[in-house]
Each structure stands twice: as structure tokens, then as C-alpha cells.
Amino acid sequence: MDNNNNNNNTKEQQATPTDEAILSQQREIEKEVRETQKQIGDLEEPKVLLEEYKDNKVFHPKIEQVISLYKGIRRSRKDGSCFYRSFIFAYLEIIKNFPEKVAKAIEHANQVKNELLVFGYPDFTTGDFHESYVELLNEISKDGGISSDKLKDKLRDNSIDMPIVYFTRLVTSASMQKQPDKFEAFCMAMGSNSVKQFCQNNVEPPAANADQLQITALTDSFQIGTRVVYLDGNSGKLNHHDFPEGVEPIVHLLYRPGHYDLLYI
């Protein structure tokens, strides 16, 4: 009996992957995502979702509703930053041809940087991300602005995409930390000791997905009305949620489990 138990234990140990094996597999998946998916996609017709979900037809009724409401979709890389990347692309696309809006965006970026320094973030790294973002703002607005295709090409450059997306995460973190009365109870209910700890674990890591708290914080900071449309396999009408509440949405995002893409009316 003892020998059989020992053999069973050995088999269980062999069947359980090690932390190193799990990490190696995760890295392979991330590498495949980087190699096969652009950071930000081309503007396509929403009917491409029918092909994407060809083997999961339970989604088709709501995809048809998306097709009836929206003229375009711009898909984002599935790397955990899809919400932040889709949002910031939409924001830059909206303001790029309006110097006065870009000037306000730079003021906002400077304010966020100062808030982060007050919260104890190092000037060296925070300043680098802020500088990259402000440089892009200045670049997209000069000489009458740039086309959406050129903006897309810029954000397909990893040396631009990475700091811009990360600064967007820092904007979210600063927004949450300066509003503890609004966010702390929710953060603690989700297992964090403070808003700062929640941000360190669930906002600032490069692969951390965004959920309702992060969306609320980011749209609060930018004061850009954002509608999130929920694509699922449930029957009935397509559901949506507007952030911040009461603000007319000008950015539209499509959410399906674990992923966000940008929609165009």
C-alpha cells in the first residue's frame, strides 16, 4: 500500500508543472502575441468579428447588433494593455488636429506628473514616460496634425507605444490615489490594503488588465465620455456602460471577456 501511495504521489508531482515551466509557457505565449498581433490594428468593418467568432456562433446575435450600430472597429493587441492602448489611441485621434486641445492635454500631463511626484514616484522614470507622451502630443499636432494612419504607425513602434501606454496607466494610478474616498473601499474589498497597493498590483504592471475601477479612474482624469459595449453570448439587447456617468460618450470601446477594442460610429 505504501509503495502504491508513493508511486501515486510521484506521478502527481510529475504531472504538476513547476513555476519555471509555467513562466516559460507564459513567455512563449507573450512572444507569439507580439509576433502575430500589431499593437493597434487597421480600421476594419465590424463584420470581421463574425469571422473571429465563426466557431462560437452564440456571439453572433450581439455581433450583428454591433454591426448595426458601428461602422468600424480597430482591434488592439491582446497583451493586457488593450484597454489603455485603445483609449489613448482614440483620445489622440480626437485631439490631433486641434492645437488648443493638444495644449490642454499637455497641461493635463504636467498636472499628472506633479501628482505622481507628490505620491512619491521617482522623477527620473516618471519624467521619462511623461516626456515621451508630451513629445508625441507635440508631434501629432504640428503642421495641422497627422492622419489616423500615421498615428497608427507611430503606436506600432514599440519605442513609442510602450512609454505612451505606460503613462496612461500612471494617469489611472494618479487619478485613483488622489480620490481615496471614491476608490479605497472598492480596493480593500478586492483584497488590497490601500489604493496605492491596488494600483501597484492591478494598474501599473504592464500586463494588468483593466476593469471598472481602472476605467472609472482614467475617464475621470481625462474627462472624456467613454462607452463600453459588452459583447457576450447571452441573449437579448447589447448592453453598455458609460464612464463617467452623465458625460456624453465620444470614445466607444468593445469589451469581450478579457479584451477591449476601439469602435467607430
Side-chain angles (χ1 to χ4, degrees), residues 124-156:
F124 179 72
T125 51
T126 304
D128 281 350
F129 294 125
H130 167 266
E131 183 179 351
S132 295
Y133 178 62
V134 171
E135 282 181 3
L136 180 62
L137 287 172
N138 283 320
E139 197 169 337
I140 66 173
S141 61
K142 66 184 180 183
D143 300 326
I146 65 172
S147 68
S148 293
D149 278 344
K150 287 185 178 178
L151 177 62
K152 173 197 68 181
D153 291 341
K154 285 187 177 298
L155 288 180
R156 283 182 175 179

Side-chain angles (χ1 to χ4, degrees), residues 88-151:
I88 201 63
F89 183 92
Y91 176 67
L92 295 174
E93 195 172 32
I94 289 166
I95 69 170
K96 62 184 177 61
N97 297 324
F98 301 95
E100 68 282 3
K101 291 183 179 180
V102 171
K104 287 183 179 178
I106 292 173
E107 288 179 14
H108 172 251
N110 294 339
Q111 177 187 340
V112 170
K113 178 190 173 184
N114 291 334
E115 289 168 353
L116 290 165
L117 296 180
V118 170
F119 292 140
Y121 287 72
D123 189 11
F124 179 72
T125 51
T126 304
D128 281 350
F129 294 125
H130 167 266
E131 183 179 351
S132 295
Y133 178 62
V134 171
E135 282 181 3
L136 180 62
L137 287 172
N138 283 320
E139 197 169 337
I140 66 173
S141 61
K142 66 184 180 183
D143 300 326
I146 65 172
S147 68
S148 293
D149 278 344
K150 287 185 178 178
L151 177 62

Side-chain angles (χ1 to χ4, degrees), residues 8-25:
N8 288 335
N9 290 337
T10 301
K11 288 178 181 178
E12 288 176 4
Q13 290 171 359
Q14 290 173 344
T16 303
T18 64
D19 290 345
E20 184 177 348
I22 293 171
L23 183 60
S24 176
Q25 183 181 30

Side-chain angles (χ1 to χ4, degrees), residues 180-244:
D181 291 345
K182 184 172 185 175
F183 291 104
E184 190 166 52
F186 295 103
C187 293
M188 295 185 74
M190 297 175 72
S192 297
N193 294 326
S194 64
V195 175
K196 188 176 184 70
Q197 185 187 65
F198 178 88
C199 292
Q200 290 171 337
N201 294 332
N202 300 285
V203 178
E204 296 169 17
N209 290 310
D211 211 333
Q212 188 162 333
L213 289 185
Q214 292 92 325
I215 299 171
T216 300
L218 185 61
T219 55
D220 270 358
S221 186
F222 279 94
Q223 279 298 295
I224 293 292
T226 302
R227 173 165 292 176
V228 178
V229 176
Y230 298 98
L231 178 63
D232 55 43
N234 298 329
S235 60
K237 189 178 178 181
L238 196 66
N239 293 319
H240 68 264
H241 192 134
D242 291 344
F243 303 85

Side-chain angles (χ1 to χ4, degrees), residues 238-254:
L238 196 66
N239 293 319
H240 68 264
H241 192 134
D242 291 344
F243 303 85
E245 290 186 9
V247 178
E248 184 70 21
I250 58 174
V251 171
H252 293 252
L253 300 174
L254 179 68

